[in-house]
Amino acid sequence: VKVHDVVLAITDGIPLFEVAAACEVFGSWRPGLPDPWYNFKVCGDYNARVGGWFRAESVHGFSEMLTADTVIIPACGAAPDKPHTALVNAVRAAYENGARLVSICTGAFVLAAAGALDGRRATTHWKYANMLAATYPRVHVDPNVLYIDEETVLTSAGKSAGLDLCLHIVRVDHGAAVANNLARRLVTPPHRDGGQAQFIPAPVGEEKDNIASTLLPWVTSRICNPLTVTDLARQANMSTRNLARHFRANVGVTPLQWLVSQRVFRAQELLEMTDHGIEQIADETGMGSGATLRRHFNRIVGVPPDAYRRTFNARTPSAESAGATKKAAAPAGAGTASAVWPELSRL
DNA sequence: AAAACTATCCGCCAGA
DNA sequence: CGTCTGGCGGATAGTT
């Protein structure tokens, strides 16, 4: 099996965070991940300043992109609308060679300049969305999503959305279980399918009495109850129609979709931390039946509940036969990293 | 696995 | 006016 070549391109003045996110995901193998992980290289300007604190010395030339399977452009320098010419040319060449292009933050400007975004949907840091749309009219800019997957071209919003996109790519390449495993190790919340789901509309939201800050906590704390969408509407003091409207606008998915994903997340925790049976967990997560839980769990997590438990349950250090997955359980005392998920996973 | 049955979603629209 | 809300009904998604 050929190892997937990932090349990260950096230019002078590039922000640290975006670079770091990609390096964390693609640049280091961790226990439990497939062994030949990615073949990760950094290319760019020699001595480019990174984040204002470091200089990049050990970098390859842009020509590395020509043989890459995936090219990542974390951002551009201070003037996104005037991208680095050599970089743009290299990206164009890589694209014509069939490479998958990935941008984080203002990296989308480089992709756009290379023509890779023409006629496509794309996103970038919300602060630059207008500029991107104005500079490249043929790009359909959507500032309201974390990332957009156009198969061969993937763009993401700023900062941590880049991490979400990187994990999404791992999910595409290696499956949900591997992606979730990596997310756990990075102590970041796992996500649903990224392809069509567009969650988190407002990058810079206000803290009013919106659904996200009032209704969602109310529900998550009662996730063991078989709440219906009508129940949520009653709690929010609005009609189901209005709830559907506001929910979509504030949370990005429909009430039921969100509800089901929360139940599955809770089921993940119970699978990790208890030895309860599937039927019991279905009951404890407000899911109607074990069959229903299995179906949704499989769809969202990517593996069946029992397989998930075998991999992650901290109580039963199941003898992993083949050496592939070295005891993926969390360190003792940490109570499994998923303990931090409920708060973070409010998509 | 498929079918019958429910619940939910969302465009449209009128009324506040 | 422009904005918000709740009801309706067909299409979909979810459940048994």
Side-chain angles (χ1 to χ4, degrees), chain A residues 326-342:
Chain A
K326 286 192 209 169
K327 177 147 178 168
T336 78
S338 69
V340 302
W341 288 359

Side-chain angles (χ1 to χ4, degrees), chain A residues 99-145:
Chain A
R100 174 172 63 180
L101 302 184
V102 178
S103 78
I104 304 174
C105 199
T106 53
F109 284 83
V110 177
L111 269 47
L117 298 182
D118 287 349
R120 290 199 146 109
R121 294 176 63 236
T123 192
T124 185
H125 192 292
W126 56 271
K127 200 173 158 188
Y128 295 97
N130 287 338
M131 189 194 288
L132 181 63
T135 312
Y136 302 98
R138 286 193 286 187
V139 181
H140 306 310
V141 180
D142 185 347
N144 296 325
V145 297

